[in-house]
Amino acid sequence: MRECVVKEAYGSEQETKFYKVYEPFNCDKGFRFSYTPAGAKPRYYINGLFELKKAYRDFNAQQEKEWQAAHEDGKPYKEQKLPEAVICSGERDSLCCHSMGYHPLWFNSETYQLSADEYKEIMKYVEVLYNIPDIDETGKRKGRELALRFIDIHTAWLPDKLQTYKDNRGKPRKDLRDWLEIHSERKDFRNLLKVAMPAKFWVQYANKDGKPKTEVDTACLYNFLQLNGFYALHDENSAVTQFIRIEGNIVKKVNVKDIREFIRRWVVDRFEDRNILNLVLNTTKLSPAALESLQEIDLNFTTYTPNSQYFFFPNKTVEVCLPCETHPEGFKEYDPGADGLHNYVWEEDVIGHRFKRLPDMFSISIDKNDEGETVLDIDIKNVNSHFFGYLINTSRLYWRAETETRFGEDRTAAAAYLEANPFRIDGEGLRSYEIIEQKQNLINKIFTFGYMLHRYKDFVRAWAPLAMDNKIGEEDECNGRSGKSFFFKVLSFMMKTVKLSGRNPKLMDNPHVFDQVSQFTDLLLVDDCDRYLNLGLFYDNITSDMTVNPKNNRSFTIGFDESPKLAFTTNYVPSDFDPSSEARSLYMVFSDWYHQRTEDNDYHETRTIRDDFGKTLYAFDYTDDEWNADLNFWLQCCRFYLSVKDSGIKPQPPMSNMERRRLKANMGANFEDWANGYFSRESGHLDDYVPRDEVFNDYQRYSNVSRITMQSFTKKLKAFCKLCPWVDCLNPPELCNSGGRIQRAVQVTPELRKTKDMLFVRSMPLNETTEQATEQQLPFGDSDDERPF
């Protein structure tokens, strides 16, 4: 129990007392200290101040006694202040400080606000007031606040190395008592106070002539800047010093002019004398060369862990994480600059909209079918997010069957249905497999969006989204206008993005192709890829480190963990879906819900994203509520990805049309026209052995193309046989030899028989569907063919 003395108000010398009772081992933390008698403790009380005043009186009484003994002439004694007092962070630190021979002061909590009157009261008794804060997050923040409120206070920071030592509970050491356990000599404590500095960055003294002079104290100037968050950023990849300012967890790039203007504004706002302002304006200690000495700092800009992702908003920081017992919804919210957040973010990467949690907009269930395959299904709870509505409509692969075909020529009924069902993934008139495919497509987009938002990179899940059109077109037809690029434009609101134009097929021939990329780049988008752009040249950058060769600077390597995720959009289909591509790609398929009507197509209208919402998304008139709804949906996408990332699930879109488009591209329109005739049911070339060289020569004569290899011809023929509805297969396995070839002896001349490679194209059994396709001669060129592949 400690006795605390309180002076009565109105200058009365009468004293009252209260007692603080300590029970540090009480099982109930709420009773480890208490005050008695009840109501005796004042609201504002500085522990140790009464003892400091007593020490001041005792000190001056002794000094006056000695003065009078030395000055018998009766010259009056002038009271002197004590050399110093030390603000400590609690009773333990204060006991340690007192044991070193110094006068401690402490408050009842770290959040106690020292008033201006209380500060003046303390400074009546001491020359210098020191403060030794704890070096945890709260202690540092409160130490900076106190130093900047009262700029004459000398702050003695404990070294950061102290946190590398552990106390008996295994926690990092953080306070004066911990430090004195390691450095217990009095000289160590004196040295600690010796390096303490105030925020006041000028000193005033008398020169040789006795005139007052004011100078900038360089060490205190840099201490002042550091207290206000100004540092030089450590960057091994740049020879140019980058100055920054840290406010909470937000980092802003600044230049020398910004630093000078900050100090000038600070001096003006404090109404300091004009000579102080002139001192700031005239000093050379704020030049670029001088500021090179500003303390360098190495910051952690990592905004993720393997199982979580941070999103920074002006009003809060949200951590999206795996649902757990303490956070079953998978969201943790932090106030700006809250303790426990050790991740920093660039000011330009703060999402410039306030965030407020909304109810979930969807839920995705995971189950197994009878074959043991994983099946995902989505339940749409609401479509308050416009972006969610956009994703739904770009996933409607069978929208024409739903909104046009079943209504025939009744456009009025079709328009009424569209108005009543603007965002319907399981629309009326769709068959069950069509609904399943559309849901599969939507889940794939949600998964991909969440995957891209999670900045953590894992070698096992090193994928690059590849966005393609679902619509089947003729050879070299570039569909586009389906909303693919908009998907990644929206991602750029949440991620630092570098965009490259993929229209140049020789893009990767440029040695400086990645010169805009840095370790702070989140997304590298190769947009609108040309048909002949070799995406395989990017594969190493997807799964390993990335080498950047900037112009007029030395090249450097960004490690896999910090390198950006890649994404591609294309109006064409990749030439091959080989295992290497599939391992690195996260395919995305966009329906032609958004399209452009032309004289060359059969669309009834032109439809854009704006048409669905009556406004341009994310333009100046986009409301705060609309932004908040989209932000909630985006974070829910990220949560869904985190919830399934370790399960091995990789939801892919329906790839039937993609495979068709690839095969059509491999075949080509010229070959398709020839093969339709050569292998028609009436041709006599089906279900029979046909010499391969004769077939090859016939195609050469038809196409007038002489420079084609047998290998290329065979690739085209295989594509045709896979697509043609009346063809079952090419070269049935039971007819092939051990080498996979069909060989037969052919009578070349009346005297000569020769063994040749043969082709055998087996036809499908004749039925109504294949008869109709045969008559129309449109086996796979019709873009409205919605038959499941």
Side-chain angles (χ1 to χ4, degrees), residues 94 138 161 193 212 259 329 410 423 506 573 614 642 666:
S94 298
T138 303
K161 186 179 179 181
L193 299 183
I259 296 174
E329 295 183 342
D410 190 351
F423 310 108
K506 297 183 178 180
V573 67
L642 290 172
N666 289 345

Side-chain angles (χ1 to χ4, degrees), residues 41 48 81 118 293 309 316 364 559 571 606 616 630 633 724:
K41 174 186 170 297
K81 295 183 178 181
E118 289 171 331
S293 300
Q309 176 68 48
K316 64 181 65 178
I364 297 176
N571 294 331
T606 293
T616 300
D630 285 341
F633 175 71
C724 184

Side-chain angles (χ1 to χ4, degrees), residues 297-310:
I297 191 170
D298 194 0
L299 298 179
N300 177 17
F301 286 95
T302 304
T303 60
Y304 55 83
T305 70
N307 296 315
S308 67
Q309 176 68 48
Y310 291 96

Side-chain angles (χ1 to χ4, degrees), residues 5-22:
V5 180
V6 184
K7 277 247 176 139
E8 290 287 348
Y10 310 111
S12 170
E13 293 299 319
Q14 182 180 357
E15 294 178 350
T16 59
K17 300 177 182 179
F18 70 92
Y19 299 88
K20 186 173 183 180
V21 181
Y22 297 89

Side-chain angles (χ1 to χ4, degrees), residues 13 54 87 157 291 324 356 479 539 571 603 628 712 778:
E13 293 299 319
K54 183 177 184 303
I87 297 176
W157 295 104
L291 286 172
C324 58
K356 180 181 179 181
N479 296 310
Y539 285 173
N571 294 331
Y603 291 123
N628 188 55
S712 177
L778 290 172

Side-chain angles (χ1 to χ4, degrees), residues 236-250:
E236 295 179 352
N237 297 323
S238 177
V240 180
T241 300
Q242 174 63 66
F243 298 114
I244 59 171
R245 188 182 184 196
I246 305 172
E247 295 183 85
N249 293 82
I250 299 174

Side-chain angles (χ1 to χ4, degrees), residues 233 235 242-247 249-255 258 299 301 303 311-314 344-353 490-498 516 518-522 627:
L233 180 65
D235 186 356
Q242 174 63 66
F243 298 114
I244 59 171
R245 188 182 184 196
I246 305 172
E247 295 183 85
N249 293 82
I250 299 174
V251 182
K252 178 182 179 181
K253 295 179 181 178
V254 296
N255 53 38
D258 296 326
L299 298 179
F301 286 95
T303 60
F311 296 94
F312 297 86
F313 301 97
Y344 292 88
V345 61
W346 288 109
E347 182 183 48
E348 60 266 30
D349 292 335
V350 175
I351 302 162
H353 302 278
V490 172
L491 268 175
S492 69
F493 296 149
M494 308 282 281
M495 312 171 71
K496 189 170 289 185
T497 304
V498 170
Q516 301 177 65
S518 72
Q519 65 267 38
F520 304 117
T521 305
D522 300 318
W627 269 108

Side-chain angles (χ1 to χ4, degrees), residues 68 119 125 141 296 440 599 702:
Q68 291 174 351
Y119 174 71
Y125 311 112
R141 185 176 73 252
E296 190 175 64
Q440 181 184 351
E599 295 180 356
Y702 175 88

